[in-house]
Amino acid sequence: MKKKDTFIVIILGIITIAVIGFGFRYRQNKQAELMGTNSHSEINQSDNFDTRKNEQTEKKRANFLSAFDENRESNTVGDFLQYVNYAKGNSKIAFYGETADQETWTVNTVHQLKNENGLPELETHYLSTLDSEVLTERLSELTEINPDVVFFHTPMPLYNYISWTEDGPVEKDNITDIISTYAEIKHALPNSLVVLVTPFPQAADPESEEEESWHQVDIDALLVRAEEYAIPVFNLHNEMMEYVTLNEMAIADLYENEELADVSQEVAKDIFLNVIKTTKVDTSTA
């Protein structure tokens, strides 16, 4: 091959390689542009999704607060807790009175309430007065906590109960004490919703087959007094008696070693959770 032909071949080879290199680089640049465009589009879509989600959450919050405010005289405690949570970002409850600290059914109720009502930050306190001489003994502790809702668990009410002693008959009536304790709690916590909670039925004789509550008259008397003072009540006593009657049980069957049996603990949780979600009370005082 002549030198001239060889030179032409070399030149053509260089041109070919240059064209291929240019095409490769052009394709890379185009791919980078497309990836940048797609990434920008994905970011915009993500931002738009977050914006829409926040707008929907804020709209839901505003609608709930508005609807709740329009009907403050008749709302559930569950809705009240949601109302407080929307307004403050968190909410607090306290179990106060004649109930054991962190009893199984109360703990399980709170756990389920958090999950079902979207209240993961719900703060819970337990202040039992079972070992106290008077119902108001731990009121100062309760005031320091300043809960949004107080569940005041009462002792079993006694109405015109006659106890016979060596000195003769002694009349016992603690309903006035229960009502006055409620008033003291409300006075100390004027912005809290305080709900009176009746105790579960107890058998007069653990060995008996009682199907009716020995304390029904006392419970009814307490409910009458509570209504007179417009006190919101969760009547767990009568709710549990409905369960006993429906299942043809004796009251003693609810207990094991003087405590609620495991099955009864679950029933108690379901009853309490249901009244929190369905029982309407006047929340305008809180």
Side-chain angles (χ1 to χ4, degrees), residues 30 100 192 202 230 260:
K30 279 296 183 182
S192 300
Q202 298 173 358
L260 286 174

Side-chain angles (χ1 to χ4, degrees), residues 101-162:
D101 283 336
Q102 300 193 43
E103 197 162 0
T104 300
W105 67 271
T106 56
V107 172
N108 290 344
T109 297
V110 172
H111 179 71
Q112 192 165 333
L113 183 65
K114 286 182 177 181
N115 293 334
E116 294 183 359
N117 279 44
L119 299 168
E121 304 301 323
L122 181 63
E123 188 178 315
T124 309
H125 299 267
Y126 302 88
L127 293 94
S128 174
T129 59
L130 288 173
D131 296 326
S132 303
E133 293 185 4
V134 292
L135 287 172
T136 55
E137 189 167 312
R138 304 189 68 180
L139 182 54
S140 60
E141 296 176 62
L142 182 66
T143 305
E144 289 179 9
I145 294 169
N146 191 26
D148 301 296
V149 175
V150 178
F151 297 112
F152 171 37
H153 292 256
T154 76
M156 185 63 74
L158 298 174
Y159 176 65
N160 290 338
Y161 179 77
I162 304 298

Side-chain angles (χ1 to χ4, degrees), residues 4-5 17 26 49 53 68 96 101 104 118 148 210 217 227 230:
K4 183 178 180 180
D5 293 336
I17 292 172
Y26 178 80
F49 174 78
K53 184 178 180 180
F68 189 93
Y96 182 88
D101 283 336
T104 300
D148 301 296
E210 294 170 312
V217 173
E227 186 176 3

Side-chain angles (χ1 to χ4, degrees), residues 145-245:
I145 294 169
N146 191 26
D148 301 296
V149 175
V150 178
F151 297 112
F152 171 37
H153 292 256
T154 76
M156 185 63 74
L158 298 174
Y159 176 65
N160 290 338
Y161 179 77
I162 304 298
S163 176
W164 290 88
T165 67
E166 293 180 356
D167 298 325
V170 176
E171 184 177 331
K172 296 182 178 180
D173 187 335
N174 65 355
I175 292 179
T176 298
D177 186 38
I178 291 173
I179 298 300
S180 64
T181 300
Y182 178 94
E184 287 189 54
I185 295 173
K186 187 60 184 173
H187 178 74
L189 297 166
N191 295 323
S192 300
L193 178 61
V194 185
V195 181
L196 189 151
V197 182
T198 63
F200 292 117
Q202 298 173 358
D205 178 2
E207 303 299 325
S208 71
E209 294 297 322
E210 294 170 312
E211 297 179 358
E212 295 184 4
S213 173
W214 178 263
H215 299 281
Q216 190 63 60
V217 173
D218 308 297
I219 291 290
D220 292 343
L222 175 60
L223 296 178
V224 169
R225 292 287 295 279
E227 186 176 3
E228 289 176 2
Y229 293 98
I231 296 174
V233 177
F234 282 176
N235 190 1
L236 303 190
H237 177 278
N238 286 9
E239 293 282 348
M240 186 65 86
M241 280 307 304
E242 287 186 16
Y243 170 79
V244 169
T245 302

Side-chain angles (χ1 to χ4, degrees), residues 76-94:
T76 67
V77 172
D79 283 344
F80 179 76
L81 287 171
Q82 187 66 71
Y83 175 82
V84 173
N85 192 65
Y86 275 143
K88 296 187 348 182
N90 69 326
S91 49
K92 291 188 288 186
I93 62 175

